[in-house]
Amino acid sequence: MYVIGRLFPRFMACSILVSLLAACGVNDIPTYDEAVKATWAQVDNQYKRRADLIPNLVEVVKGFAAQEQETLTAVVEARAKATQMQIPSDILSNPQAFQAFEANQGALTQALSRLLLVVERYPDLKSNQNFLNLQAQLEGTENRIAVARRDYIQAVQVYNTELRTFPGRIWAALLYSDMDLRETFSQPESLAEPPEVKFN
């Protein structure tokens, strides 16, 4: 009984300390960091999905609009550049790598928009079932990209805010000095919304 009496205050002190640490956000930084990584994975996943759809789309258009070789080549080259980029492990905290990634994806978005505008000149292509299926999948993917980018931007905002404000700033200095601010999309107008394609 004497041992329990001596250990009880220590146990209570430890319990109070653990409760205070948990309540004051000591785990917020790693939690927010994981959210940033998860939302980034979703952005990357949607860009890869789009890249996978493009060769099929190009083949269908090529069958109907072979004379649009310049546009088709631009799409293929933009896709190659976007998919062949070696993404460094520190891309989320590396401004140059992040900007290069964003530029490559932006170039692909623009080339794809030009390709879809070319389709307006080819009524037979616009009614082709394969093309319509691919076009619907691509529109869905563009919408998913927009949502994934938005979610990523919000996760980065929460994470970066935590690192810059009290008490997160203290926890970052004491426990998480290896955690860097994360890069976010600059939201240029060409990427702010998915390309609008109208088929009559």
Side-chain angles (χ1 to χ4, degrees):
M1 195 59 131
Y2 175 74
V3 173
I4 293 175
R6 284 186 62 193
L7 292 178
F8 184 73
R10 290 181 185 172
F11 174 75
M12 288 304 292
C14 286
S15 297
I16 291 170
L17 181 62
V18 167
S19 298
L20 288 174
L21 287 175
C24 68
V26 71
N27 291 321
D28 287 350
I29 293 173
T31 301
Y32 298 152
D33 183 49
E34 290 303 315
V36 168
K37 290 176 185 173
T39 55
W40 173 254
Q42 199 53 246
V43 168
D44 191 40
N45 183 41
Q46 295 307 324
Y47 277 131
K48 286 178 181 170
R49 184 175 194 275
R50 177 176 70 173
D52 291 344
L53 288 172
I54 290 172
N56 295 329
L57 183 68
V58 167
E59 285 303 312
V60 171
V61 173
K62 192 185 293 183
F64 285 86
Q67 62 271 31
E68 303 291 349
Q69 193 60 43
E70 183 179 324
T71 303
L72 294 169
T73 301
V75 171
V76 171
E77 288 174 356
R79 179 189 179 270
K81 193 171 183 181
T83 57
Q84 292 173 358
M85 178 183 176
Q86 295 296 320
I87 299 175
S89 60
D90 69 340
I91 189 168
L92 300 182
S93 57
N94 181 334
Q96 292 81 16
F98 195 90
Q99 288 170 359
F101 176 85
E102 187 175 11
N104 287 340
Q105 293 300 333
L108 181 54
T109 297
Q110 290 174 348
L112 202 49
S113 295
R114 284 192 301 275
L115 174 66
L116 293 175
L117 291 175
V118 161
V119 170
E120 286 297 315
R121 296 184 214 146
Y122 301 93
D124 291 343
L125 175 57
K126 289 193 297 185
S127 63
N128 178 278
Q129 192 59 47
N130 286 339
F131 177 77
L132 292 174
N133 289 338
L134 287 167
Q135 187 260 337
Q137 289 182 49
L138 189 60
E139 282 180 351
T141 300
E142 291 294 340
N143 289 333
R144 287 185 187 113
I145 288 170
V147 169
R149 284 170 57 101
R150 182 203 64 209
D151 292 347
Y152 172 76
I153 290 167
Q154 290 172 347
V156 168
Q157 178 189 11
V158 169
Y159 172 81
N160 285 350
T161 301
E162 183 67 20
L163 285 183
R164 291 178 169 159
T165 59
F166 181 82
R169 191 172 196 137
I170 293 171
W171 295 125
L174 294 175
L175 301 174
Y176 306 113
S177 59
D178 60 330
M179 300 287 208
D180 296 320
L181 293 174
R182 299 297 190 200
E183 291 298 312
T184 191
F185 293 104
S186 58
Q187 288 283 15
E189 283 186 38
S190 64
L191 292 178
E193 295 180 16
E196 185 177 327
V197 182
K198 294 179 181 174
F199 293 92
N200 299 327

